[in-house]
């Protein structure tokens, strides 16, 4: 029996079974297809016959979506816009995230890594158990993206659980309580960015809020972009840091390859246990996926975590192997919506994993990790370690 609990604990046996038995699986209750092969998921990400589920699609398929702040945010955000609206919104952000701009962040990322590892050393002194998520995995990315966006440091911690509530909306099935929490969180996060935008109009600074305040974006658009970039900027990276560290303490022979192979951690950790587990698309016209005919206008979910463990693409897919050649996972999406922050997330992982196990060679788990209660995003609420 497939349950959300089992999927949260370990989705990989379910993915393997689906890939073997029904790689293009139609769930009649949800009226949606679910894909588990690398080639099929890649087709959905890059093929012109697929669109993201924008407002026009939601009007037909999700009655009442405009009445909920969270679903309104979701279906009108950059993530769920199609060209030409998508291209216009993405242009407002893309200048701040070029490879050159991100590489210029290296000294700042190094300072942040140094600070969080210093705190890990302090809290873990004398064999004390420390939660890696509270100490490293969340504080590192939230301060990096928070400074770029322009969210003052003291304000940053409150967003961890607000964005957590919002991200649960990406699961294929959600209950009323989850929707209510996502709505409340969306209202709070949007109100925060409305205030910040208004403030920066009068007092500009060197940050993304000020760039958008000075642009020709409507207020609602600017607020949604800021909320998305900030949330997406720390949420998945927090997942990545925890998942990668968990993999490295589980396979100490791999941790011993650090720091030499530090830059391989990002791709292999995302491949082995992806922080983002699914992408949602809809068919813009009738099409064929594998050997299945799929009609126009239906939802198709690509399981990124399943594609990344497809034996047709990766030899011995369940083994975590930093020496793997051509790891290139689908965890950052692809095509028009390819992750805007990929270079920033990679930079943080490169700097962190060049140091973590050199500074703390005895880092080990010190209790049962607690998984996040969401299928679409994979990470830990808590990861107890000793250094
Ligand atoms: C390891 C960390 C990360 C992972 C696994 C990840 C994953 C993804 C994925 C799968 C998508 C595409 C979703 C889709 O096509 O439906 C995406 C898009 C996006 N990501 Fe990331 N992301 C990460 C880090 C970041 C960071 C650091 C930022 C900060 C700028 C960011 C900002 C965005 C934005 C704004 C989009 C929407 C792009 C668009 O729709 O055009 N992400 N990310």
């Amino acid at each position: 029996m497939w349950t959300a609990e089992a999927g949260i604990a370990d989705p990989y046996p379910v993915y393997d079974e689906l890939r073997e038995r029904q790689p293009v699986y139609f769930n009649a209750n949800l009226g949606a297809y679910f894909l588990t092969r690398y080639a099929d998921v890649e087709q959905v990400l890059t093929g012109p016959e697929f669109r993201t589920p924008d407002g026009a699609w939601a009007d037909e398929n999700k009655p009442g979506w405009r009445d909920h702040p969270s679903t309104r945010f979701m279906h009108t955000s950059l993530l769920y816009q199609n060209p030409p609206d998508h291209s216009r919104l993405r242009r407002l952000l893309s200048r701040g995230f070029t490879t050159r701009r991100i590489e210029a962040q290296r000294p700042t990322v190094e300072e942040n890594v140094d600070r969080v590892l210093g705190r890990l050393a302090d809290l873990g002194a004398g064999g004390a158990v420390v939660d890696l998520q509270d100490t490293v995995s969340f504080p590192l990315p939230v301060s990096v993206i928070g400074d770029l966006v322009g969210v003052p440091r003291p304000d940053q911690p409150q967003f961890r659980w607000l964005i957590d509530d919002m991200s649960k909306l990406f699961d294929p099935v959600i209950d009323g309580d989850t929707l209510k929490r996502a709505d409340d969180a969306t209202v709070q996060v949007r109100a925060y960015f409305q205030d910040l935008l208004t403030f920066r109009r009068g007092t500009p600074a060197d940050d993304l809020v000020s760039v958008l305040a000075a642009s020709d974006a409507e207020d609602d658009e600017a607020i949604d972009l800021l909320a998305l970039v900030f949330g997406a900027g720390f949420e998945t990276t927090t997942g990545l840091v925890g998942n990668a560290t968990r993999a490295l303490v589980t396979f100490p022979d791999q941790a011993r390859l650090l720091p030499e192979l530090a830059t391989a951690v990002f791709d292999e950790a995302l491949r082995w246990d992806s922080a983002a587990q699914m992408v949602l698309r809809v068919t813009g016209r009738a099409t064929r996926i594998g050997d299945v005919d799929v009609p126009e206008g239906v939802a198709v979910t690509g399981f990124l975590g399943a594609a990344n463990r497809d034996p047709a693409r990766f030899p011995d897919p369940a083994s975590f192997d930093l020496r793997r050649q051509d790891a290139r996972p689908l965890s950052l999406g692809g095509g028009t919506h390819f992750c805007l922050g990929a270079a920033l997330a990679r930079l943080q992982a490169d700097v962190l994993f060049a140091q973590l196990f050199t500074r703390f060679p005895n880092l080990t788990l010190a209790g049962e990790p607690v998984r996040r209660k969401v299928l679409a995003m994979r990470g830990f609420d808590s990861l107890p370690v000793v250094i």
Side-chain angles (χ1 to χ4, degrees), residues 45 52 78-80 86 90 93 97 145 228-229 232-234 236-237 240 266 270 274-276 279-281 304 330-334 336-342 344-345 348:
L45 286 168
T52 50
L78 174 76
L79 203 53
Y80 286 165
H86 174 265
R90 180 136 174 160
L93 298 175
F97 291 89
I145 191 68
L228 177 72
V229 172
F234 71 78
T236 38
T237 312
L240 160 78
F266 183 70
L270 281 180
S274 182
V279 287
L280 179 58
R281 293 292 186 271
L304 303 171
L330 292 181
S331 309
L332 301 158
T336 326
H337 293 270
F338 181 74
C339 177
L340 179 79
L344 185 61
Q348 295 176 73

Side-chain angles (χ1 to χ4, degrees), residues 128-139:
V129 176
V130 190
D131 188 338
L132 193 88
Q133 300 306 89
D134 292 349
T135 316
V136 175
S137 312
F138 170 69

Side-chain angles (χ1 to χ4, degrees), residues 76 78 81-95 212 215-218 221-222 225 336:
T76 55
L78 174 76
Q81 293 298 301
N82 289 294
D85 293 334
H86 174 265
S87 326
R88 185 178 62 81
L89 290 174
R90 180 136 174 160
R91 244 192 325 269
L92 289 167
L93 298 175
S94 44
R95 250 171 300 145
L212 289 178
S215 76
D216 55 7
E218 312 259 327
E221 284 176 347
L225 285 173
T336 326

